[in-house]
């Protein structure tokens, strides 16, 4: 069975999946903002409007996981990034204005 990310809006040119921020718990969104500000993870944000995170990549038997050092701080994001890497997606964009993706947990905060 396909992972729910396969149904998410995908920007092939950018190798990016676009999800709503509600697919992450509020605590993780706040942690992401802190990690981005400290340059501990790769990405960009516009304070609670949207943010883009590097999911890393898997190529030729090797895998780059940019969230490995902080995976325990952002377990839901880490799981989504892992599935994205497996699908060949390098970036995850979270936008508050995007509709939820069927099959993914939604956190109402």
């Amino acid at each position: 069975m396909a992972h729910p990310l396969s149904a998410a809006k995908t920007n092939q040119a950018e190798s990016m999946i676009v999800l709503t921020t509600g697919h992450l718990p509020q605590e993780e969104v706040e942690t992401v903002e802190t990690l981005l500000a400290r340059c501990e993870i790769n990405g960009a944000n516009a304070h609670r409007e949207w943010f883009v995170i590097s999911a890393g990549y898997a190529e030729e038997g090797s895998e780059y996981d940019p969230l490995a050092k902080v995976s325990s701080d952002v377990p839901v994001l880490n799981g989504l990034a892992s599935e994205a890497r497996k699908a060949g997606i390098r970036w995850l964009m979270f936008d508050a204005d995007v509709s939820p993706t069927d099959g993914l947990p939604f956190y109402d905060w």
Side-chain angles (χ1 to χ4, degrees), residues 27-56:
E27 303 81 31
E28 283 199 32
V29 172
E30 292 167 359
T31 300
V32 165
E33 290 176 347
T34 301
L35 294 170
L36 285 169
R38 293 180 184 167
C39 297
E40 292 183 41
I41 59 175
N42 299 326
N45 74 337
H47 186 68
R48 295 203 180 214
E49 294 295 321
W50 58 265
F51 58 89
V52 177
I53 301 295
S54 171

Side-chain angles (χ1 to χ4, degrees), residues 21-27 29-30 48 51 96 106-109:
T21 52
H23 287 308
L24 295 177
Q26 183 175 6
E27 303 81 31
V29 172
E30 292 167 359
R48 295 203 180 214
F51 58 89
F106 184 81
Y107 302 88
D108 191 20
W109 43 276

Side-chain angles (χ1 to χ4, degrees), residues 33-94:
E33 290 176 347
T34 301
L35 294 170
L36 285 169
R38 293 180 184 167
C39 297
E40 292 183 41
I41 59 175
N42 299 326
N45 74 337
H47 186 68
R48 295 203 180 214
E49 294 295 321
W50 58 265
F51 58 89
V52 177
I53 301 295
S54 171
Y57 57 87
E59 289 180 343
E60 299 174 17
S62 66
E63 185 172 329
Y64 168 62
D65 179 0
L67 299 173
K69 293 185 279 185
V70 298
S71 63
S72 63
D73 297 326
V74 287
V76 175
L77 175 59
N78 191 55
L80 291 170
S82 176
E83 290 300 323
R85 281 193 304 280
K86 291 175 189 174
I89 301 297
R90 293 181 178 233
W91 297 94
L92 295 171
M93 179 175 193
F94 291 88

Side-chain angles (χ1 to χ4, degrees), residues 2-10 17-19 100-104:
H3 191 277
L5 281 183
S6 64
K9 181 178 176 184
T10 304
I17 285 182
V18 182
L19 301 170
T101 299
D102 289 340
L104 289 179

